[in-house]
Amino acid sequence: MKRILSMTLLLVFAFFATAIAQEKRIPAKGMAKFSKDGNFQSYAFTRHAVGDNDVLIDILYAGICHSDIHTERDYWWSVKYPLVAGHEIAGRVIQVGKKVTKFKVGDYAGVGCMVNSCGECEYCKRGEEQYCLKGNVGTYASPDYFHNNEITQGGYSNNIVLSENFAIKIPKNADLKKVAPLLCAGITTYSPIHFTHVKKGDTIAVAGFGGLGYMAVQYAVALGAKVTVFDITEDKRQDALTMGAVKYVNVKNPDELKGLENSFRVILSTIPAKYDLSIYLKMLKVDGDMVVIGLPAFSNSPSIDVTNLVMAGRRKLYGTQIGGIRETQEMLDYSVSHNIYPKVEIISADKIDEAYQKVLAGEVRYRYVIDMSTLK
Ligand SMILES: [Zn+2]
Ligand SMILES: [Zn+2]
């Protein structure tokens, strides 16, 4: 009898504890896909409660990244639907946890590709949370191991809750409409340009002049590098030269590739499709770096023959992912103070499907940014 009573009490307690925890959950609404092939629809959901070290951000703008499309369309791994994508987020802090020191209510804040990480491994400790050995908690479609492994939902929504450590301070004088894409496209290009020590007078190349390429060229030109841009269309030639590139190569014109062997100390490849890596490797100088940041769909991923790699002779080929939180803050401050932004087109929340189509068709040189005030 006594045992039954204590069991009942325990159950009642558990029920109320859950109810209280549920109560504190934050109601959210966003644009989600409910299946791989479906269109975006509005979706009401909740986010975890604002913990002592968390901030609640009212999302004002969210950029559309090519990775969102790959994930929403299930190109990379199987995801759980409904799925709200978006990891280029700019907004305003509307609530802070008791122990938050970095933000106060009213501050502008940004969120990129990660919302948390283990904080204990060698990479987290040195500020490279993107390489966390436990795996960082991605901004969307990622099990949040700090919150019962619930699957995170991204920025195509009206709000987000995350640890203050993973929120980036947006300077007051930033052009808010254009800031969001810096949180992914900005850091993805800024980081390799800095760890390869691109400097004044360096000869470097940027392959692919889309959303990432557009940022890479600006950072490299700002550092005084001589930048050559590669793409497959004539349309982008003028834009690249106007931005400060010294040369534009239309890869579809084989003549334009002649004489470029052994030319570049660094090549940043932002190409999100299949291409011949060995062509680019040959254009590197010995000990030069070819850094791959463009991420194609699995089915369209380029590969390289080992023989070609050996024959390339100490020309390095490797990939990289975004940057750590400290570096993301540095990138954002640098970009705002040097007036380096993506070119953006602002769209309303009901135009995401259309935007995806255009990005997939490779027509877009700017970043689509969703104005979240249009979310119904
Ligand atoms: Zn991205
Ligand atoms: Zn870690």
Side-chain angles (χ1 to χ4, degrees), residues 65 67 87-88 184:
C65 172
S67 309
H87 58 207
E88 299 180 342
C184 175

Short mmCIF file of all heavy atoms in Angstrom, two decimals, residues 65 67 87-88 184, ligand 1:
data_model
loop_
_atom_site.label_atom_id
_atom_site.label_comp_id
_atom_site.label_asym_id
_atom_site.label_seq_id
_atom_site.Cartn_x
_atom_site.Cartn_y
_atom_site.Cartn_z
N CYS A 65 20.71 29.67 -47.55
CA CYS A 65 22.03 29.15 -47.91
C CYS A 65 21.82 27.90 -48.77
O CYS A 65 20.84 27.17 -48.59
CB CYS A 65 22.77 28.79 -46.63
SG CYS A 65 24.32 27.94 -46.89
N SER A 67 23.20 25.19 -48.52
CA SER A 67 23.13 24.02 -47.63
C SER A 67 21.71 23.76 -47.14
O SER A 67 21.33 22.62 -46.91
CB SER A 67 23.99 24.22 -46.39
OG SER A 67 25.27 24.60 -46.75
N HIS A 87 20.34 28.96 -41.26
CA HIS A 87 21.43 29.16 -40.29
C HIS A 87 22.20 30.45 -40.57
O HIS A 87 23.39 30.54 -40.37
CB HIS A 87 22.35 27.93 -40.20
CG HIS A 87 22.99 27.51 -41.48
ND1 HIS A 87 23.37 26.22 -41.73
CD2 HIS A 87 23.35 28.21 -42.57
CE1 HIS A 87 23.93 26.15 -42.93
NE2 HIS A 87 23.94 27.34 -43.45
N GLU A 88 21.44 31.42 -41.06
CA GLU A 88 22.00 32.77 -41.24
C GLU A 88 20.96 33.71 -40.65
O GLU A 88 20.01 34.10 -41.32
CB GLU A 88 22.19 33.07 -42.73
CG GLU A 88 23.14 32.13 -43.43
CD GLU A 88 23.32 32.43 -44.91
OE1 GLU A 88 22.49 33.14 -45.50
OE2 GLU A 88 24.30 31.94 -45.47
N CYS A 184 27.12 32.64 -42.27
CA CYS A 184 27.56 31.39 -42.90
C CYS A 184 28.50 31.70 -44.06
O CYS A 184 29.67 31.37 -44.02
CB CYS A 184 26.37 30.55 -43.35
SG CYS A 184 26.87 29.08 -44.26
ZN ZN B 1 25.19 27.86 -44.93
#
